[in-house]
Amino acid sequence: MMRKPIYTNAEIIEAGENLLLRRGSEVSATDIHKELGGKGKYSRVRNLWEAHCATREEEQSNDDPLPDEVQEQIDQAIVGLEKSMRDLVQAQISRMTEQSVRQFAIRERDFVLLEKANAKKVQALEAEIAYLTERLDEFCATEEEEHVSENADRAHERSVSAKPAPAPVAPVAARKTPDRPLPRTHRPAQKTARQPSARPKKSPQQERTRS
């Protein structure tokens, strides 16, 4: 059979309430245990008083609602806070969107500039290729002319060397003839020297470098 406690639950709670009224401040389980003469289990006094304090605070919060003016101010503060947070988020989204659009515009501008620069380089390379092709054609034509001229000279030399030498003719006594003009002797035709090739034009690359 369990031993009967020295103080009932009601007596412990009543002792605590009396201390609270006398002091006007918070009362601890230690204070109540001393008020009861230190008799009984301290843990039982502590558990009862803590449970009583929790119940009392809950009852006070339910029994004492906030004034309408205070509640209205709280509601307005909550609405204002929600609006501020919403405006802050919208401003952040707008700022990030503007930044993204600005970065995209910069990249697009850089791409256009790069495309123009590459187009100029392509045009310069095409002009250089056309110039080199023209010079190559001129060089091939000159080489062909020189080859034909050399072949003609060699053929002429061979024909001259292959012609038999004329037979010696006995000297004929000179006859006295009246004064007559001596017959004109035609000088052998001289070969015309080949005209030097025209000075090559400068390439577009050289023109750009000079300018």
Side-chain angles (χ1 to χ4, degrees):
M1 186 175 178
M2 293 183 62
R3 183 179 177 182
K4 184 178 179 181
I6 299 175
Y7 299 103
T8 62
N9 295 346
E11 290 174 342
I12 295 173
I13 298 300
E14 184 179 0
E17 290 290 343
N18 292 332
L19 281 175
L20 186 61
L21 291 174
R22 289 200 305 266
R23 292 184 178 184
S25 59
E26 292 294 330
V27 176
S28 65
T30 304
D31 297 332
I32 298 173
H33 193 255
K34 289 180 180 180
E35 181 70 15
L36 296 175
K39 297 178 180 180
K41 290 184 178 181
Y42 172 78
S43 59
R44 178 169 172 265
V45 175
R46 182 190 59 194
N47 294 335
L48 284 173
W49 183 247
E50 289 179 355
H52 173 71
C53 290
T55 304
R56 184 182 58 185
E57 291 176 358
E58 184 178 356
E59 291 176 354
Q60 288 178 353
S61 62
N62 294 332
D63 295 340
D64 298 331
L66 294 174
D68 295 340
E69 183 179 357
V70 175
Q71 186 65 41
E72 184 178 357
Q73 292 177 356
I74 293 175
D75 294 339
Q76 291 178 356
I78 294 174
V79 172
L81 181 61
E82 292 177 351
K83 184 177 183 302
S84 299
M85 293 297 296
R86 185 168 54 252
D87 294 342
L88 180 62
V89 172
Q90 290 178 353
Q92 183 69 16
I93 293 174
S94 300
R95 184 162 53 252
M96 293 176 64
T97 303
E98 292 176 359
Q99 185 177 3
S100 299
V101 171
R102 185 164 54 252
Q103 290 179 354
F104 179 78
I106 292 174
R107 291 180 181 178
E108 187 176 8
R109 182 201 61 188
D110 294 342
F111 177 78
V112 172
L113 294 177
L114 182 62
E115 188 177 14
K116 289 182 179 179
N118 290 335
K120 290 182 179 179
K121 290 181 181 179
V122 170
Q123 291 177 356
L125 291 175
E126 290 177 349
E128 190 72 16
I129 292 173
Y131 167 78
L132 293 176
T133 303
E134 182 181 357
R135 294 298 304 140
L136 180 61
D137 294 341
E138 293 177 358
F139 178 76
C140 292
T142 303
E143 286 291 323
E144 186 175 358
E145 290 177 359
E146 291 179 355
H147 183 67
V148 171
S149 177
E150 289 177 358
N151 290 338
D153 292 342
R154 290 174 183 173
H156 177 70
E157 291 175 358
R158 285 196 298 269
S159 63
V160 171
S161 61
K163 186 181 295 184
V169 180
V172 180
R175 292 182 299 174
K176 191 175 182 180
T177 58
D179 295 337
R180 292 181 181 178
L182 295 175
R184 294 182 179 179
T185 58
H186 297 282
R187 298 175 63 183
Q190 296 181 354
K191 291 192 298 182
T192 58
R194 186 169 64 247
Q195 296 293 333
S197 59
R199 188 176 182 181
K201 298 183 297 182
K202 293 183 178 180
S203 67
Q205 183 68 26
Q206 292 175 341
E207 291 291 342
R208 286 194 301 273
T209 304
R210 184 176 180 182
S211 60

